[in-house]
Amino acid sequence: MLSELTIKNFAIIDDIQISFKNEFSVLTGETGAGKSIIIEAVNLLLGGRASADLVRAGCDTAELEAFFDIDANSRAAMILNDQGIDSSDGLIVRRIISSSGKSRVFINSRQSTLDLLKQVTFNLAGISSQHAHQGLLKQENHLDILDEFAETQDLKNKVRKLYHTIIPLKKKIRELKKSLDTKRKEQDFLEFQINEISDAAILPDEDEDLEKKREILVNSSKIFEVVNRSIHEIHDREGSLSERLSFLRNDMEKLSAADENLEKFANRISSIVFDLQDIANELRDFSSNIDLDPASLEMTDQRLDLISKLKRKYGGSLDALLDEYETMQLKLSQTTEIEKQIKIFENDVQGLLKVIGQKAKTLSALRKTAGKKLSEFARKELDALEMGKAKFEVAFSIQTTNDSEDIATADLEKIGPDGMDKSSFLLSPNPGEALKPLVKIASGGELSRIVLALKAVLSKTKSLETLIFDEVDAGIGGATSEKVGQKLKQLSKKHQVICITHLAQIAKYAQNQFRISKNVINGRTFTTIVPLAEENARIEEIARMIGGAHITDATLTHARELLEQASS
């Protein structure tokens, strides 16, 4: 529970300290005295956003501090212990807001973050103010309220996590399909290019080899002539080189007996003769293979022309052409790879859709069951608050879809990040009136009681330590305010209840009352808060709430009677 609250240099508050008890406490005082500012201070200590204009004029910083008694097994204590923060003596939250707009957070004297503060104080207190009333009117908040009552937040978070897993997968599938469509449009032309190169069956360095072959074919007649003339001169004609060398060899051999050195020369000439004969034989073989067919040159030119065209088309060189061929084959294979990827992602999405569909249906069923209970409990609470003729209902709607891009159940029920349901709180305040959304029919007094009724219902399931009400008495009076006071006192049996009120019929039911007043001293406004511990002081404040500034014996008597009635 909230035990101590200290506020310094905050708005019109200079320096006040309030000690609360674990019961029903009311803050009373004239309009503009600073009661709602105290609620705003508590809101900041629970993690609300701060702004520089909250710092008291002429001051550099505003300081807020709250001490909460917390159970050792509470969620707040567990979070603190996980952060290495000792919580055995309770929780002290401190915020310092500078006039420059910067804010610092301290948890048990350790500087911390706003995010951690929100986590720690999540279940410590709940504030119902005019802002909360407006939030209740918004249909987009009704599903959150219902999930809070149904305790289905964990299941909703699982659905949301699945939803945000499926969305990027679907986006990836769309991108891959778009890429696949583009590649398929290119595929026919790509296959034509690949086949064009493949059909040419070009070999490495074939262009160079063909150029050499062409050079030979162009000169084949001359080569043939030279080769055959060489054969003729070396061997075939009368007086050929071989024949004349043979005669010289024979002459040397005849005279070798006279000079043995001639035999060596004769042997060497004999070797040359044999080489010439071999050359002649090889030249004959070479001559027989010389291509003199004009068609061969034509075919070579055609082949070179084909290769030249392909080189010009695909890079300018044979190496570039062959590299481009490999690149085109890779591109063609990527189409198949993209198809495989799409299939994998689609299978993943189908599996996730099955899971999210099942969880969304389970979540929807739990919500509808809880909706009936919430409607029933709310009607009972409204009855206790003088709205017994009112009808309250939690309405649901589900959208179906045929769009394959939507996330949906097997029955085509569209699923969003919060599930497949849209929820709306409907009210008929008077018999014969149709059920309508709260924003269309609720008056100030009705809305205050609806808020209180829902708080009463939700407090049965939500483990809030402290319930804080601001303007719960808006638009009500008489017997209705009596009922509201009784309801607040009833809530204080399970929760610490702190309420700002202008109505004596509500204030009388509180076990503790604080008077907040505003004074101007030396041109400066100061807010003070006084606990009304003495019975007479409390009687005087109740009398002021009844009769205004002019207190008579009659109003004092009436105030005393009100307090006696509340305590009986």
Side-chain angles (χ1 to χ4, degrees), residues 402-431:
N402 288 310
D403 189 342
S404 61
E405 289 302 316
D406 286 333
I407 298 175
T409 67
D411 298 322
L412 302 180
E413 296 152 322
K414 186 175 180 179
I415 300 173
D418 293 326
M420 54 192 277
D421 303 299
K422 299 292 182 185
S423 180
S424 177
F425 294 167
L426 306 178
L427 183 74
S428 169
N430 301 301

Side-chain angles (χ1 to χ4, degrees), residues 537-552:
R538 194 158 178 214
I539 290 172
E540 287 182 7
E541 176 62 8
I542 295 291
R544 183 200 62 78
M545 296 174 74
I546 297 170
H550 184 64
I551 299 175
T552 65

Side-chain angles (χ1 to χ4, degrees), residues 74-136:
S74 66
R75 180 180 182 273
M78 288 189 287
I79 293 174
L80 290 173
N81 293 335
D82 288 343
Q83 295 292 322
I85 301 175
D86 183 17
S87 62
S88 57
D89 293 329
L91 169 65
I92 299 175
V93 176
R94 184 169 173 242
R95 289 195 72 172
I96 300 176
I97 306 161
S98 71
S99 56
S100 65
K102 294 182 179 179
S103 171
R104 287 183 291 163
V105 176
F106 295 87
I107 299 176
N108 284 8
S109 300
R110 180 192 293 185
Q111 188 162 353
S112 187
T113 63
L114 195 62
D115 184 60
L116 180 60
L117 176 61
K118 290 178 181 179
Q119 292 180 48
V120 171
T121 61
F122 182 75
N123 288 99
L124 290 183
I127 298 176
S128 174
S129 62
Q130 184 176 5
H131 177 73
H133 291 10
Q134 296 302 317
L136 182 64

Side-chain angles (χ1 to χ4, degrees), residues 217-264:
L217 290 171
V218 167
N219 294 284
S220 61
S221 296
K222 294 178 181 179
I223 294 170
F224 184 80
E225 181 182 347
V226 169
V227 168
N228 282 282
R229 185 168 64 248
S230 297
I231 296 169
H232 183 70
E233 292 294 332
I234 290 170
H235 189 272
D236 289 354
R237 78 177 180 84
E238 185 177 347
S240 67
L241 290 175
S242 296
E243 184 179 340
R244 281 182 286 166
L245 286 173
S246 295
F247 289 154
L248 291 174
R249 180 195 62 195
N250 291 336
D251 290 343
M252 286 183 185
E253 285 177 347
K254 290 175 182 178
L255 295 172
S256 61
D259 188 342
E260 61 182 12
N261 286 323
L262 292 175
E263 184 177 3
K264 290 189 293 182

Side-chain angles (χ1 to χ4, degrees), residues 143 146-147 359-368 395-399 413-416 418-424:
L143 201 59
L146 180 63
D147 282 324
K359 291 189 181 297
K361 280 184 175 291
T362 300
L363 178 60
S364 181
L366 291 172
R367 284 169 170 170
K368 287 172 182 174
F396 293 90
S397 63
I398 294 174
Q399 181 182 349
E413 296 152 322
K414 186 175 180 179
I415 300 173
D418 293 326
M420 54 192 277
D421 303 299
K422 299 292 182 185
S423 180
S424 177

Side-chain angles (χ1 to χ4, degrees), residues 42-239:
V42 175
N43 182 55
L44 291 175
L45 288 165
L46 295 176
R49 289 286 177 184
S51 62
D53 57 7
L54 294 172
V55 179
R56 182 173 170 83
C59 299
D60 294 328
T61 59
E63 296 186 28
L64 312 172
E65 185 174 290
F67 174 72
F68 293 90
D69 283 318
I70 58 174
D71 188 90
N73 297 318
S74 66
R75 180 180 182 273
M78 288 189 287
I79 293 174
L80 290 173
N81 293 335
D82 288 343
Q83 295 292 322
I85 301 175
D86 183 17
S87 62
S88 57
D89 293 329
L91 169 65
I92 299 175
V93 176
R94 184 169 173 242
R95 289 195 72 172
I96 300 176
I97 306 161
S98 71
S99 56
S100 65
K102 294 182 179 179
S103 171
R104 287 183 291 163
V105 176
F106 295 87
I107 299 176
N108 284 8
S109 300
R110 180 192 293 185
Q111 188 162 353
S112 187
T113 63
L114 195 62
D115 184 60
L116 180 60
L117 176 61
K118 290 178 181 179
Q119 292 180 48
V120 171
T121 61
F122 182 75
N123 288 99
L124 290 183
I127 298 176
S128 174
S129 62
Q130 184 176 5
H131 177 73
H133 291 10
Q134 296 302 317
L136 182 64
L137 292 177
K138 295 179 180 178
Q139 183 176 329
E140 58 264 31
N141 294 334
H142 293 173
L143 201 59
D144 289 335
I145 295 171
L146 180 63
D147 282 324
E148 180 184 312
F149 175 75
E151 297 182 330
T152 50
Q153 294 99 325
D154 287 345
L155 182 55
K156 178 172 69 174
N157 288 337
K158 289 177 181 178
V159 169
R160 180 178 286 116
K161 186 176 180 180
L162 285 166
Y163 179 87
H164 290 299
T165 300
I166 295 171
I167 288 295
L169 284 176
K170 279 184 163 285
K171 181 181 178 182
K172 185 65 176 177
I173 290 171
R174 287 196 301 272
E175 291 172 349
L176 286 171
K177 285 184 174 180
K178 184 178 180 180
S179 176
L180 183 62
D181 287 342
T182 302
K183 288 187 178 299
R184 280 177 174 166
K185 290 176 182 178
E186 298 172 351
Q187 188 170 356
D188 289 344
F189 183 60
L190 199 60
E191 287 177 344
F192 166 78
Q193 291 179 309
I194 290 172
N195 290 335
E196 183 179 36
I197 298 173
S198 179
D199 290 345
I202 301 172
L203 300 174
D205 302 321
E206 185 178 357
D207 54 346
E208 295 179 5
D209 294 339
L210 285 171
E211 289 291 351
K212 293 176 183 177
K213 181 179 179 180
R214 184 182 185 282
E215 187 67 21
I216 292 171
L217 290 171
V218 167
N219 294 284
S220 61
S221 296
K222 294 178 181 179
I223 294 170
F224 184 80
E225 181 182 347
V226 169
V227 168
N228 282 282
R229 185 168 64 248
S230 297
I231 296 169
H232 183 70
E233 292 294 332
I234 290 170
H235 189 272
D236 289 354
R237 78 177 180 84
E238 185 177 347

Side-chain angles (χ1 to χ4, degrees), residues 438-477:
L438 298 183
V439 69
K440 293 186 177 181
I441 51 85
S443 67
E446 289 167 342
L447 185 57
S448 296
R449 281 178 283 172
I450 292 166
V451 170
L452 182 55
L454 288 174
K455 285 287 184 181
V457 173
L458 295 174
S459 67
K460 297 173 184 178
T461 57
K462 190 173 182 179
S463 56
L464 284 173
E465 301 277 346
T466 302
L467 297 175
I468 301 173
F469 293 92
D470 185 14
E471 300 189 15
V472 73
D473 54 9
I476 62 172

